[in-house]
mmCIF file of all heavy atoms in Angstrom:
data_model
loop_
_atom_site.group_PDB
_atom_site.id
_atom_site.type_symbol
_atom_site.label_atom_id
_atom_site.label_comp_id
_atom_site.label_asym_id
_atom_site.label_seq_id
_atom_site.Cartn_x
_atom_site.Cartn_y
_atom_site.Cartn_z
ATOM 1 N N GLY A 1 -12.191 7.773 -14.270
ATOM 2 C CA GLY A 1 -12.963 6.680 -14.822
ATOM 3 C C GLY A 1 -12.799 5.355 -14.123
ATOM 4 O O GLY A 1 -13.357 4.349 -14.582
ATOM 5 N N LYS A 2 -12.056 5.316 -13.032
ATOM 6 C CA LYS A 2 -11.830 4.072 -12.319
ATOM 7 C C LYS A 2 -12.279 4.184 -10.866
ATOM 8 O O LYS A 2 -12.472 5.282 -10.342
ATOM 9 C CB LYS A 2 -10.352 3.680 -12.365
ATOM 10 C CG LYS A 2 -9.844 3.332 -13.748
ATOM 11 C CD LYS A 2 -8.430 2.793 -13.689
ATOM 12 C CE LYS A 2 -7.950 2.345 -15.052
ATOM 13 N NZ LYS A 2 -6.571 1.777 -14.987
ATOM 14 N N GLU A 3 -12.442 3.032 -10.230
ATOM 15 C CA GLU A 3 -12.807 2.992 -8.824
ATOM 16 C C GLU A 3 -11.589 3.240 -7.949
ATOM 17 O O GLU A 3 -10.449 3.032 -8.363
ATOM 18 C CB GLU A 3 -13.438 1.646 -8.469
ATOM 19 C CG GLU A 3 -14.760 1.372 -9.162
ATOM 20 C CD GLU A 3 -15.383 0.078 -8.714
ATOM 21 O OE1 GLU A 3 -14.714 -0.697 -8.004
ATOM 22 O OE2 GLU A 3 -16.546 -0.162 -9.062
ATOM 23 N N ARG A 4 -11.854 3.673 -6.737
ATOM 24 C CA ARG A 4 -10.784 3.887 -5.780
ATOM 25 C C ARG A 4 -10.166 2.541 -5.405
ATOM 26 O O ARG A 4 -10.872 1.588 -5.076
ATOM 27 C CB ARG A 4 -11.330 4.598 -4.543
ATOM 28 C CG ARG A 4 -10.262 5.145 -3.618
ATOM 29 C CD ARG A 4 -10.883 6.005 -2.522
ATOM 30 N NE ARG A 4 -11.638 7.117 -3.073
ATOM 31 C CZ ARG A 4 -12.232 8.052 -2.344
ATOM 32 N NH1 ARG A 4 -12.144 8.014 -1.016
ATOM 33 N NH2 ARG A 4 -12.909 9.029 -2.932
ATOM 34 N N GLU A 5 -8.836 2.457 -5.433
ATOM 35 C CA GLU A 5 -8.161 1.204 -5.189
ATOM 36 C C GLU A 5 -7.094 1.336 -4.107
ATOM 37 O O GLU A 5 -6.506 2.397 -3.911
ATOM 38 C CB GLU A 5 -7.510 0.680 -6.475
ATOM 39 C CG GLU A 5 -6.408 1.573 -7.014
ATOM 40 C CD GLU A 5 -5.729 1.004 -8.245
ATOM 41 O OE1 GLU A 5 -6.049 -0.144 -8.625
ATOM 42 O OE2 GLU A 5 -4.885 1.697 -8.833
ATOM 43 N N PHE A 6 -6.853 0.230 -3.435
ATOM 44 C CA PHE A 6 -5.838 0.167 -2.401
ATOM 45 C C PHE A 6 -4.452 0.308 -2.995
ATOM 46 O O PHE A 6 -4.132 -0.316 -4.006
ATOM 47 C CB PHE A 6 -5.956 -1.170 -1.657
ATOM 48 C CG PHE A 6 -4.895 -1.407 -0.628
ATOM 49 C CD1 PHE A 6 -5.025 -0.911 0.656
ATOM 50 C CD2 PHE A 6 -3.764 -2.146 -0.935
ATOM 51 C CE1 PHE A 6 -4.055 -1.135 1.618
ATOM 52 C CE2 PHE A 6 -2.788 -2.379 0.012
ATOM 53 C CZ PHE A 6 -2.936 -1.866 1.289
ATOM 54 N N VAL A 7 -3.619 1.111 -2.356
ATOM 55 C CA VAL A 7 -2.243 1.321 -2.794
ATOM 56 C C VAL A 7 -1.256 0.753 -1.782
ATOM 57 O O VAL A 7 -0.349 -0.006 -2.139
ATOM 58 C CB VAL A 7 -1.949 2.811 -3.022
ATOM 59 C CG1 VAL A 7 -0.470 3.024 -3.349
ATOM 60 C CG2 VAL A 7 -2.828 3.362 -4.139
ATOM 61 N N ALA A 8 -1.406 1.127 -0.527
ATOM 62 C CA ALA A 8 -0.477 0.698 0.513
ATOM 63 C C ALA A 8 -1.139 0.825 1.873
ATOM 64 O O ALA A 8 -2.059 1.623 2.055
ATOM 65 C CB ALA A 8 0.811 1.525 0.476
ATOM 66 N N GLY A 9 -0.654 0.053 2.831
ATOM 67 C CA GLY A 9 -1.170 0.119 4.185
ATOM 68 C C GLY A 9 -0.074 -0.155 5.184
ATOM 69 O O GLY A 9 0.919 -0.817 4.872
ATOM 70 N N ILE A 10 -0.251 0.356 6.392
ATOM 71 C CA ILE A 10 0.728 0.171 7.450
ATOM 72 C C ILE A 10 -0.009 -0.023 8.765
ATOM 73 O O ILE A 10 -0.985 0.667 9.053
ATOM 74 C CB ILE A 10 1.715 1.361 7.508
ATOM 75 C CG1 ILE A 10 2.824 1.099 8.537
ATOM 76 C CG2 ILE A 10 0.989 2.671 7.794
ATOM 77 C CD1 ILE A 10 3.978 2.090 8.422
ATOM 78 N N THR A 11 0.451 -0.981 9.565
ATOM 79 C CA THR A 11 -0.190 -1.278 10.832
ATOM 80 C C THR A 11 0.103 -0.203 11.858
ATOM 81 O O THR A 11 0.957 0.665 11.665
ATOM 82 C CB THR A 11 0.286 -2.642 11.366
ATOM 83 O OG1 THR A 11 1.717 -2.627 11.498
ATOM 84 C CG2 THR A 11 -0.110 -3.768 10.422
ATOM 85 N N TRP A 12 -0.615 -0.265 12.972
ATOM 86 C CA TRP A 12 -0.427 0.707 14.037
ATOM 87 C C TRP A 12 1.021 0.748 14.495
ATOM 88 O O TRP A 12 1.580 1.826 14.718
ATOM 89 C CB TRP A 12 -1.363 0.380 15.203
ATOM 90 C CG TRP A 12 -1.059 1.118 16.471
ATOM 91 C CD1 TRP A 12 -0.571 0.610 17.634
ATOM 92 C CD2 TRP A 12 -1.240 2.523 16.704
ATOM 93 N NE1 TRP A 12 -0.433 1.590 18.581
ATOM 94 C CE2 TRP A 12 -0.838 2.791 18.035
ATOM 95 C CE3 TRP A 12 -1.704 3.585 15.923
ATOM 96 C CZ2 TRP A 12 -0.879 4.056 18.596
ATOM 97 C CZ3 TRP A 12 -1.737 4.855 16.477
ATOM 98 C CH2 TRP A 12 -1.334 5.076 17.795
ATOM 99 N N GLY A 13 1.637 -0.415 14.664
ATOM 100 C CA GLY A 13 3.017 -0.470 15.114
ATOM 101 C C GLY A 13 4.032 -0.100 14.052
ATOM 102 O O GLY A 13 5.203 0.129 14.376
ATOM 103 N N GLY A 14 3.621 -0.061 12.802
ATOM 104 C CA GLY A 14 4.500 0.355 11.723
ATOM 105 C C GLY A 14 5.452 -0.707 11.216
ATOM 106 O O GLY A 14 6.270 -0.426 10.335
ATOM 107 N N LEU A 15 5.371 -1.919 11.732
ATOM 108 C CA LEU A 15 6.302 -2.961 11.332
ATOM 109 C C LEU A 15 5.828 -3.767 10.132
ATOM 110 O O LEU A 15 6.652 -4.316 9.396
ATOM 111 C CB LEU A 15 6.572 -3.909 12.504
ATOM 112 C CG LEU A 15 7.217 -3.261 13.735
ATOM 113 C CD1 LEU A 15 7.404 -4.298 14.834
ATOM 114 C CD2 LEU A 15 8.544 -2.627 13.371
ATOM 115 N N ALA A 16 4.537 -3.850 9.936
ATOM 116 C CA ALA A 16 3.981 -4.589 8.810
ATOM 117 C C ALA A 16 3.453 -3.610 7.770
ATOM 118 O O ALA A 16 2.677 -2.712 8.094
ATOM 119 C CB ALA A 16 2.872 -5.526 9.266
ATOM 120 N N ARG A 17 3.881 -3.798 6.533
ATOM 121 C CA ARG A 17 3.491 -2.916 5.445
ATOM 122 C C ARG A 17 2.995 -3.756 4.275
ATOM 123 O O ARG A 17 3.495 -4.849 4.023
ATOM 124 C CB ARG A 17 4.662 -2.034 5.019
ATOM 125 C CG ARG A 17 5.333 -1.349 6.198
ATOM 126 C CD ARG A 17 6.504 -0.500 5.777
ATOM 127 N NE ARG A 17 7.266 -0.049 6.936
ATOM 128 C CZ ARG A 17 8.015 1.043 6.968
ATOM 129 N NH1 ARG A 17 8.110 1.810 5.886
ATOM 130 N NH2 ARG A 17 8.666 1.365 8.066
ATOM 131 N N TYR A 18 2.024 -3.219 3.558
ATOM 132 C CA TYR A 18 1.389 -3.947 2.470
ATOM 133 C C TYR A 18 1.264 -3.030 1.269
ATOM 134 O O TYR A 18 1.005 -1.834 1.406
ATOM 135 C CB TYR A 18 0.016 -4.461 2.904
ATOM 136 C CG TYR A 18 0.064 -5.302 4.165
ATOM 137 C CD1 TYR A 18 -0.015 -4.709 5.410
ATOM 138 C CD2 TYR A 18 0.216 -6.680 4.092
ATOM 139 C CE1 TYR A 18 0.045 -5.471 6.564
ATOM 140 C CE2 TYR A 18 0.280 -7.448 5.234
ATOM 141 C CZ TYR A 18 0.196 -6.842 6.469
ATOM 142 O OH TYR A 18 0.261 -7.601 7.615
ATOM 143 N N TYR A 19 1.421 -3.601 0.084
ATOM 144 C CA TYR A 19 1.399 -2.822 -1.137
ATOM 145 C C TYR A 19 0.607 -3.527 -2.223
ATOM 146 O O TYR A 19 0.608 -4.753 -2.315
ATOM 147 C CB TYR A 19 2.814 -2.580 -1.648
ATOM 148 C CG TYR A 19 3.699 -1.850 -0.674
ATOM 149 C CD1 TYR A 19 4.535 -2.535 0.192
ATOM 150 C CD2 TYR A 19 3.693 -0.458 -0.622
ATOM 151 C CE1 TYR A 19 5.345 -1.863 1.094
ATOM 152 C CE2 TYR A 19 4.500 0.221 0.281
ATOM 153 C CZ TYR A 19 5.320 -0.491 1.135
ATOM 154 O OH TYR A 19 6.126 0.186 2.026
ATOM 155 N N ALA A 20 -0.035 -2.735 -3.040
ATOM 156 C CA ALA A 20 -0.631 -3.284 -4.244
ATOM 157 C C ALA A 20 0.470 -3.750 -5.181
ATOM 158 O O ALA A 20 1.567 -3.191 -5.209
ATOM 159 C CB ALA A 20 -1.494 -2.227 -4.931
ATOM 160 N N ASP A 21 0.180 -4.785 -5.959
ATOM 161 C CA ASP A 21 1.183 -5.316 -6.872
ATOM 162 C C ASP A 21 1.701 -4.251 -7.832
ATOM 163 O O ASP A 21 2.870 -4.262 -8.219
ATOM 164 C CB ASP A 21 0.607 -6.484 -7.665
ATOM 165 C CG ASP A 21 0.364 -7.711 -6.811
ATOM 166 O OD1 ASP A 21 0.929 -7.798 -5.708
ATOM 167 O OD2 ASP A 21 -0.391 -8.596 -7.255
ATOM 168 N N SER A 22 0.851 -3.323 -8.205
ATOM 169 C CA SER A 22 1.213 -2.320 -9.184
ATOM 170 C C SER A 22 2.251 -1.328 -8.679
ATOM 171 O O SER A 22 2.911 -0.664 -9.486
ATOM 172 C CB SER A 22 -0.031 -1.562 -9.648
ATOM 173 O OG SER A 22 -0.679 -0.947 -8.549
ATOM 174 N N VAL A 23 2.411 -1.208 -7.359
ATOM 175 C CA VAL A 23 3.350 -0.237 -6.798
ATOM 176 C C VAL A 23 4.433 -0.890 -5.963
ATOM 177 O O VAL A 23 5.379 -0.197 -5.545
ATOM 178 C CB VAL A 23 2.620 0.826 -5.947
ATOM 179 C CG1 VAL A 23 1.500 1.472 -6.742
ATOM 180 C CG2 VAL A 23 2.083 0.219 -4.657
ATOM 181 N N ASN A 24 4.334 -2.171 -5.728
ATOM 182 C CA ASN A 24 5.305 -2.866 -4.892
ATOM 183 C C ASN A 24 6.716 -2.710 -5.456
ATOM 184 O O ASN A 24 6.948 -2.928 -6.643
ATOM 185 C CB ASN A 24 4.945 -4.343 -4.787
ATOM 186 C CG ASN A 24 5.740 -5.063 -3.716
ATOM 187 O OD1 ASN A 24 6.032 -4.502 -2.666
ATOM 188 N ND2 ASN A 24 6.079 -6.320 -3.975
ATOM 189 N N GLY A 25 7.635 -2.322 -4.598
ATOM 190 C CA GLY A 25 9.007 -2.094 -5.014
ATOM 191 C C GLY A 25 9.294 -0.666 -5.402
ATOM 192 O O GLY A 25 10.467 -0.281 -5.500
ATOM 193 N N ARG A 26 8.256 0.118 -5.634
ATOM 194 C CA ARG A 26 8.434 1.515 -6.022
ATOM 195 C C ARG A 26 7.960 2.486 -4.941
ATOM 196 O O ARG A 26 8.513 3.577 -4.813
ATOM 197 C CB ARG A 26 7.679 1.814 -7.317
ATOM 198 C CG ARG A 26 8.154 0.984 -8.502
ATOM 199 C CD ARG A 26 7.495 1.444 -9.796
ATOM 200 N NE ARG A 26 6.042 1.260 -9.775
ATOM 201 C CZ ARG A 26 5.157 2.248 -9.880
ATOM 202 N NH1 ARG A 26 5.572 3.506 -10.009
ATOM 203 N NH2 ARG A 26 3.856 1.992 -9.878
ATOM 204 N N PHE A 27 6.938 2.094 -4.197
ATOM 205 C CA PHE A 27 6.366 2.943 -3.153
ATOM 206 C C PHE A 27 6.751 2.410 -1.783
ATOM 207 O O PHE A 27 6.889 1.194 -1.589
ATOM 208 C CB PHE A 27 4.842 2.980 -3.251
ATOM 209 C CG PHE A 27 4.291 3.709 -4.448
ATOM 210 C CD1 PHE A 27 5.104 4.100 -5.501
ATOM 211 C CD2 PHE A 27 2.940 3.999 -4.512
ATOM 212 C CE1 PHE A 27 4.585 4.763 -6.598
ATOM 213 C CE2 PHE A 27 2.408 4.664 -5.602
ATOM 214 C CZ PHE A 27 3.226 5.048 -6.646
ATOM 215 N N THR A 28 6.883 3.309 -0.829
ATOM 216 C CA THR A 28 7.167 2.942 0.550
ATOM 217 C C THR A 28 6.261 3.734 1.482
ATOM 218 O O THR A 28 6.230 4.965 1.416
ATOM 219 C CB THR A 28 8.634 3.215 0.918
ATOM 220 O OG1 THR A 28 9.500 2.494 0.038
ATOM 221 C CG2 THR A 28 8.909 2.768 2.355
#
């Protein structure tokens, strides 16, 4: 019942990582 949402992302080099607020601190 919900739209697809961003969870996490990682750059080509792997040094920069981004997380949705809902999973930050729990997902890697």
Side-chain angles (χ1 to χ4, degrees):
K2 294 187 176 182
E3 295 184 350
R4 193 172 301 183
E5 64 177 355
F6 176 85
V7 175
I10 185 168
T11 57
W12 167 249
L15 298 179
R17 310 179 190 205
Y18 305 87
Y19 301 94
D21 290 342
S22 58
V23 307
N24 192 36
R26 299 187 297 119
F27 291 11
T28 302

